[in-house]
Amino acid sequence: MRDIDLEALLPKLGEALLQTLQMITLSFVIAGVVGVLLGILLYATRPGNLLENRLVFGALNALINVIRPIPFIIIIIALIPVTRALLGTSIGTTAAVPALALVASVAIARIAESNLVAVDPGTVEAGAAMGASPARVLFTIVIPESLGPLTLGLTYIFVALVDATAVAGLVGAGGLGSLALTYGYQRFDWFVMIAVIVTLIVLVQLAQVAGNRVARAVQHQR
Amino acid sequence: MTTAITIEHVSKSFTAGGQRVTALDDVSLSIDRGEIFGIVGYSGAGKSTLLRTINALERPTAGRVVVDGVEVSALGGRALHRQRQRIGMIFQRFNLLQSRTVFQNVAYPLRVAGASKDEIVDRVDELLRFVGLSERALEHPSRLSGGQQQRVGIARALANRPDVLLSDEATSALDPQTTSEVLELLRRVNREYGVTIALVTHEMEVVRELADRVAVMQQGTVVEHGAVYDVFSRPSHPTTRRFVSSVLHHLPDAEALDRIRRVHRGRIVQIHVENRESNDPFLSRIARQHDVDYNVVYGGVSELQSRLFGTLTVELLGNDLDVDRAIAGIATSAAIIELPPSAEQATSAAEELIHA
Ligand SMILES: Nc1ncnc2c1ncn2[C@@H]1O[C@H](COP(=O)(O)OP(=O)(O)OP(=O)(O)O)[C@@H](O)[C@H]1O
Ligand SMILES: [Mg+2]
């Protein structure tokens, strides 16, 4: 076993962590906005709902069903031309963002939709009985009532993104994944491998604890 | 007395999974201003569907519903939303917004109606005081007991000072103690604010405690309706009788009668007493007069809307001729019928008695 070189490792680890956080944050914010909006659109265009529209609902539904089963690694590769057109490059940290954001948007859309559908129909009925318009019921009852479970769903996606960024390391995106790959796998440096794993575990734990807190706060339950 | 709600020849059918279900079949009713009107029936009778036509949560397939002179069944859009603001509704499972505080829940309908901030604060304070929950204003509904949540539901339903309150099984999820507290609160809503209440329930006890009039529903139709006293003291439809006997135990059933007969071998009569104003002790007077002894073997007398009614099952002992005379004598003071020796004949005779 070689000597453990902390002084050399720490800056590398720090840089990789920063790259990972950058990728996750950017794609999470984009996917959060796009995914939640898509989820609301899916919910609203459902048969019997406010903007009932079979065409829009059917098309969105099909699109999501097509994208979701494609493995992430294939999406990254398939998106290379799009990414190049969009960002002028297809490698580097930001280059992974379009693929990450796409996958996360689709997943969040489904999660948001199912949380909206799961809102107690009794509260919707109460809103209607109080004379609120369907749009008002959607924005002041259905969406607020779904926020608790939605936060947990978003946390789940955040953690899944940590996973996905490791794969993104394959296309030269940097981050913790590629650090583990180049040092741990290709150079058999197990210490780096373990350091990366511990960092990832801490990151995921922090995200989960934060997510649970926020969910509890918006749900107002103890 | 003016009419608050008129339901005219209302029918409603649903198509569910290719099957056509008739939930309401040509129902007509009118509910007076300021009264508490009960609607009872077994599960699936169409009670909720009927109630929900009053605020147009359900659209009749045929017929019309008029509330305060407005044909709600014909309204749509804004006009309907405004009309609904004047009809409060409470629910079996309360249907409060979990993401909002008690205060915000009660404020919600006021916001919908476009009240100003000051108005909202004043009105919510007043309502929470009325239902006794001022201290809990800033808590979330999940922290409250079922009875407290229903009180928030009632405050919310009253926010826009409605003329009509609809209640769908509002006490069915509560224990008996909490149920009577909520019923008492509904009585105050009716008395203090003059709100007309239409309440759906499957519990005859709720009707007995609260309602002025009652309609009994079965398979989408109203099989009997009238003042609570009349329906309870002289139920005519078999379903009504079953509902009444669930809370009043004035008449022995066949088994009880069998047990009675094993001990009491004399002639057995049933006497229907109703709201007697005279203090004539007719039973003992007539028995003494004809040299007949009597045994009260079963019976019950209840008070409803401060009027008494009930049925006594009595064994008469003496020689046949004297007993015949005693029965004829009692008949001049109260409805009386002699039970034939077999149990089955006896139950049908008892029903006849009530309708005599
Ligand atoms: N939205 C609906 N779609 C299809 N069928 C319905 C719908 N609403 C009610 N029904 C049917 O109409 C009938 C009457 O239902 P309703 O809910 O009015 O009964 P209820 O007397 O309130 O019963 P419960 O005591 O169980 O609440 C039932 O057969 C029910 O299945
Ligand atoms: Mg019902």
Side-chain angles (χ1 to χ4, degrees):
Chain A
M1 211 167 146
R2 293 187 302 145
D3 282 343
I4 290 165
D5 189 354
L6 258 187
E7 255 167 75
L9 174 64
L10 277 180
K12 259 184 255 157
L13 196 62
E15 192 195 358
L17 178 62
L18 212 66
Q19 287 169 339
T20 293
L21 286 177
Q22 197 183 341
M23 279 189 274
I24 294 177
T25 314
L26 211 57
S27 47
F28 185 69
V29 169
I30 295 169
V33 174
V34 175
V36 169
L37 288 179
L38 281 179
I40 293 173
L41 195 59
L42 268 170
Y43 173 81
T45 55
R46 257 172 179 262
N49 281 3
L50 170 62
L51 301 173
E52 173 166 0
N53 187 323
R54 274 172 206 283
L55 204 71
V56 175
F57 178 75
L60 266 181
N61 206 25
L63 183 70
I64 290 172
N65 285 345
V66 165
I67 296 176
R68 283 194 75 194
I70 304 176
F72 180 58
I73 183 87
I74 295 178
I75 289 194
I76 289 195
I77 294 165
L79 274 191
I80 285 177
V82 180
T83 307
R84 193 171 291 145
L86 226 59
L87 305 170
T89 173
S90 61
I91 53 164
T93 309
T94 44
V97 170
L100 287 169
L102 175 68
V103 179
S105 298
V106 171
I108 290 173
R110 265 293 179 249
I111 289 175
E113 181 202 14
S114 57
N115 286 329
L116 291 168
V117 171
V119 166
D120 179 3
T123 60
V124 174
E125 175 156 305
M130 287 184 278
S133 66
R136 188 165 196 137
V137 169
L138 175 62
F139 287 106
T140 62
I141 294 180
V142 181
I143 293 175
E145 291 288 302
S146 77
L147 284 185
L150 180 64
T151 312
L152 291 177
L154 289 176
T155 310
Y156 176 81
I157 295 304
F158 189 91
V159 170
L161 277 173
V162 175
D163 228 1
T165 51
V167 177
L170 287 180
V171 295
L176 291 165
S178 62
L179 187 67
L181 201 70
T182 40
Y183 286 81
Y185 181 69
Q186 284 157 6
R187 296 190 203 166
F188 303 104
D189 188 340
W190 294 110
F191 182 66
V192 174
M193 188 66 121
I194 287 165
V196 167
I197 290 174
V198 169
T199 311
L200 284 174
I201 290 174
V202 170
L203 187 60
V204 168
Q205 286 296 324
L206 284 179
Q208 193 63 55
V209 168
N212 289 347
R213 287 233 172 134
V214 176
R216 221 171 303 142
V218 295
Q219 243 171 344
H220 305 286
Q221 272 155 12
R222 23 188 81 191
Chain B
M1 198 168 271
T2 55
T3 304
I5 302 166
T6 315
I7 294 164
E8 285 174 7
H9 302 291
V10 165
S11 295
K12 171 76 186 179
S13 47
F14 296 101
T15 328
Q19 289 273 72
R20 212 173 148 79
V21 182
T22 304
L24 296 176
D25 184 9
D26 192 20
V27 174
S28 295
L29 275 180
S30 77
I31 299 178
D32 294 332
R33 191 176 305 283
E35 80 170 327
I36 301 183
F37 193 94
I39 300 166
V40 288
Y42 292 111
S43 190
K47 309 180 294 290
S48 299
T49 308
L50 181 64
L51 192 76
R52 290 154 52 85
T53 62
I54 297 173
N55 61 357
L57 285 177
E58 219 69 84
R59 300 263 177 197
T61 322
R64 49 183 227 140
V65 178
V66 179
V67 180
D68 286 326
V70 180
E71 188 180 343
V72 288
S73 48
L75 292 179
R78 276 246 180 106
L80 175 61
H81 298 156
R82 246 196 306 277
Q83 178 67 25
R84 281 177 177 162
Q85 289 162 20
R86 282 187 271 140
I87 303 175
M89 189 169 195
I90 55 176
F91 309 86
Q92 177 168 6
R93 283 166 50 255
F94 324 130
N95 296 350
L96 300 177
L97 307 179
Q98 300 301 321
S99 57
R100 291 168 193 253
T101 62
V102 166
F103 183 97
Q104 290 166 333
N105 266 281
V106 180
Y108 187 89
L110 295 164
R111 287 227 179 84
V112 171
S116 76
K117 254 206 173 99
D118 290 347
E119 281 173 318
I120 291 177
V121 170
D122 289 349
R123 182 73 182 139
V124 174
D125 277 353
E126 182 188 342
L127 287 159
L128 288 182
R129 222 173 313 122
F130 177 72
V131 301
L133 286 173
S134 301
E135 267 84 72
R136 317 300 293 267
L138 299 180
E139 289 184 46
H140 283 265
S142 59
R143 304 278 307 273
L144 305 185
S145 70
Q148 289 167 335
Q149 291 192 45
Q150 192 58 287
R151 273 145 66 191
V152 176
I154 291 171
R156 180 175 74 172
L158 296 178
N160 285 315
R161 305 178 195 278
D163 300 317
V164 172
L165 177 66
L166 309 178
S167 162
D168 194 349
E169 304 275 10
T171 57
S172 300
L174 305 174
D175 63 58
Q177 169 67 26
T178 317
T179 292
S180 39
E181 284 166 23
V182 168
L183 294 183
E184 188 48 47
L185 182 59
L186 289 177
R187 201 188 326 267
R188 280 178 58 210
V189 169
N190 176 252
R191 299 240 170 101
E192 292 176 30
Y193 295 136
V195 176
T196 307
I197 300 180
L199 64 89
V200 159
T201 181
H202 64 270
E203 293 167 317
M204 207 55 175
E205 190 56 39
V206 170
V207 172
R208 169 159 104 147
E209 276 192 37
L210 207 59
D212 300 307
R213 289 197 302 149
V214 60
V216 181
M217 289 190 72
Q218 185 178 313
Q219 288 177 353
T221 61
V222 171
V223 293
E224 185 165 0
H225 70 106
V228 166
Y229 180 85
D230 296 336
V231 170
F232 272 72
S233 61
R234 289 161 181 257
S236 69
H237 191 276
T239 303
T240 315
R241 263 187 235 132
R242 246 178 300 153
F243 268 108
V244 170
S245 66
S246 71
V247 285
L248 302 179
H249 311 283
H250 294 174
L251 290 170
D253 57 17
E255 268 174 54
L257 207 54
D258 256 358
R259 273 194 301 277
I260 290 167
R261 283 209 192 278
R262 245 172 274 146
V263 183
H264 301 280
R265 305 286 179 163
R267 291 166 66 178
I268 291 184
V269 296
Q270 283 180 326
I271 303 166
H272 191 64
V273 288
E274 210 170 291
N275 202 35
R276 288 171 48 78
E277 313 253 284
S278 114
N279 61 2
D280 169 26
F282 69 95
L283 199 51
S284 58
R285 175 174 57 76
I286 291 167
R288 204 176 308 122
Q289 191 182 330
H290 298 287
D291 201 17
V292 163
D293 281 314
Y294 67 89
N295 242 329
V296 175
V297 295
Y298 201 98
V301 177
S302 298
E303 186 182 16
L304 238 181
Q305 299 174 328
S306 54
R307 290 199 284 167
L308 293 173
F309 70 98
T311 306
L312 299 178
T313 302
V314 175
E315 177 190 30
L316 296 176
L317 299 162
N319 77 49
D320 267 349
L321 206 61
D322 288 337
V323 170
D324 283 343
R325 287 196 187 116
I327 291 175
I330 294 168
T332 62
S333 294
I336 179 170
I337 200 155
E338 180 168 4
L339 298 190
S342 108
E344 264 157 56
Q345 286 168 311
T347 349
S348 62
E351 277 161 13
E352 238 169 79
L353 166 72
I354 287 178
H355 296 286

